[in-house]
């Protein structure tokens, strides 16, 4: 039975990905800042819920210690925030910490867990708006900057670890009907999660460092 570890699994896209992988026979480890309040996550069969606040170094350290040397076939860094909509230095730094620095810390901390698994995959949930080539409006500058930065960081890790047969990729989930995306978004969480799971399942090591959306389209940098 392969193992999935997914952060921010208590709602939205993360919750739906946890449901789908569990239904497909995977053992799922899902994180939440407040596991006691993650009622929908508790309703999933074959899931282990772990406490993690990706904004706090001590929480990350405790989480990695609790995980120990368990193999992780697939690590999905889903936790993230939208951040400020106007210039606020402290809020922008918090955004970069959660959306960029935390995923890199977790990837480094989980590298050995993923390396000892059969699938050896790491995915960061990014966004199409992190593409510089496709920025035609200039809106959402702070969120865009965080996704462009995590794409660069994840691409760097993919290159650093290429010879170790780890496969890393960035995924754009689409505009999804979540708390962040709003009720008028194009996709349901189920549509987004199903599309991404199909792409993730089909990934091979030759695609490490690639940037795709939920439909499989490769997104330009």
């Amino acid at each position: 039975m392969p193992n999935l570890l997914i952060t921010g699994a208590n709602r939205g896209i993360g919750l739906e990905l946890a449901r789908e992988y569990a239904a497909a026979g995977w053992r799922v480890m899902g994180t939440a800042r407040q596991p006691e309040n993650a009622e929908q996550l508790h309703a999933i069969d074959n899931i282990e819920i772990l406490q993690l606040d990706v904004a706090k170094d001590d929480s990350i350290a405790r989480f990695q210690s609790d995980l120990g040397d368990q193999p992780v076939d697939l690590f999905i860094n889903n936790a993230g925030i939208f951040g400020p909509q106007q210039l606020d230095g402290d809020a922008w730094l918090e955004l970069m910490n959660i959306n960029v620095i935390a995923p890199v810390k977790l990837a480094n901390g989980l590298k050995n867990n993923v390396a000892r698994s059969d699938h050896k995959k790491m995915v960061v949930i990014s966004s199409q708006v992190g593409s510089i080539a496709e920025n035609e409006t200039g809106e959402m500058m702070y969120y865009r900057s965080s996704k462009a930065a995590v794409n660069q960081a994840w691409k760097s890790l993919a290159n650093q670890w290429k010879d170790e047969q780890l496969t890393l990729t960035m995924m754009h989930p689409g505009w999804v009907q979540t708390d962040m995306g709003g009720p008028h978004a194009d996709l349901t969480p189920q549509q987004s999660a199903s599309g991404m799971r199909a792409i993730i399942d089909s990934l091979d090591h030759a695609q490490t460092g690639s940037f795709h959306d939920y439909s499989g389209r490769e997104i330009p940098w």
Side-chain angles (χ1 to χ4, degrees):
M1 180 185 295
N3 292 331
L4 165 67
L5 171 60
I6 180 168
T7 62
N10 56 304
R11 63 181 182 177
I13 297 168
L15 177 63
E16 188 57 35
L17 283 166
R19 283 185 180 132
E20 292 209 6
Y21 275 99
W26 286 56
R27 173 176 174 255
V28 177
M29 294 173 280
T31 78
R33 283 184 298 168
Q34 298 177 315
E36 66 277 9
N37 296 331
E39 294 179 2
Q40 295 182 81
L41 201 56
H42 282 282
I44 299 173
D45 292 333
N46 198 33
I47 190 166
E48 179 182 359
I49 304 173
L50 304 170
Q51 195 281 327
L52 175 63
D53 185 340
V54 301
K56 297 179 179 178
D57 287 346
D58 59 344
S59 181
I60 292 175
R62 183 169 56 253
F63 164 74
Q64 291 176 339
S65 176
D66 290 344
L67 187 65
D69 60 359
Q70 296 182 66
V72 174
D73 289 273
L74 172 59
F75 165 49
I76 300 180
N77 190 102
N78 171 69
I81 61 172
F82 188 73
Q85 298 188 52
Q86 56 188 351
L87 184 57
D88 180 328
D90 290 339
W92 196 355
L93 288 172
E94 179 188 25
L95 173 68
M96 298 300 281
N97 183 43
I98 292 172
N99 286 7
V100 186
I101 298 171
V104 174
K105 286 179 178 176
L106 286 166
N108 276 278
L110 295 168
K111 179 188 174 188
N112 290 337
N113 301 81
V114 175
R116 63 172 55 96
S117 74
D118 293 328
H119 292 239
K120 296 181 172 61
K121 294 179 181 180
M122 293 188 181
V123 175
V124 66
I125 302 302
S126 181
S127 173
Q128 178 182 340
V129 302
S131 168
I132 295 172
E134 295 191 353
N135 182 356
E136 297 179 354
T137 68
E139 297 173 349
M140 301 182 291
M141 179 172 65
Y142 313 107
Y143 184 67
R144 283 183 187 274
S145 69
S146 74
K147 293 306 184 180
V150 79
N151 286 350
Q152 182 69 280
W154 217 252
K155 174 72 171 180
S156 295
L157 292 177
N159 287 333
Q160 289 175 22
W161 299 342
K162 193 170 188 177
D163 292 341
E164 300 177 60
Q165 300 304 305
L166 273 67
T167 301
L168 284 79
T169 191
M170 292 72 67
M171 293 290 307
H172 167 55
W175 184 23
V176 186
Q177 296 164 15
T178 62
D179 289 347
M180 185 183 295
H184 303 298
D186 296 332
L187 302 172
T188 65
Q190 293 85 357
Q191 289 170 321
S192 173
S194 294
M196 287 195 292
R197 191 165 71 85
I199 302 305
I200 293 167
D201 289 351
S202 69
L203 284 174
D204 60 37
H205 187 56
Q207 295 170 287
T208 193
S210 57
F211 181 21
H212 299 271
D213 74 4
Y214 70 98
S215 71
R217 180 178 79 95
E218 190 156 1
I219 301 173
W221 300 109

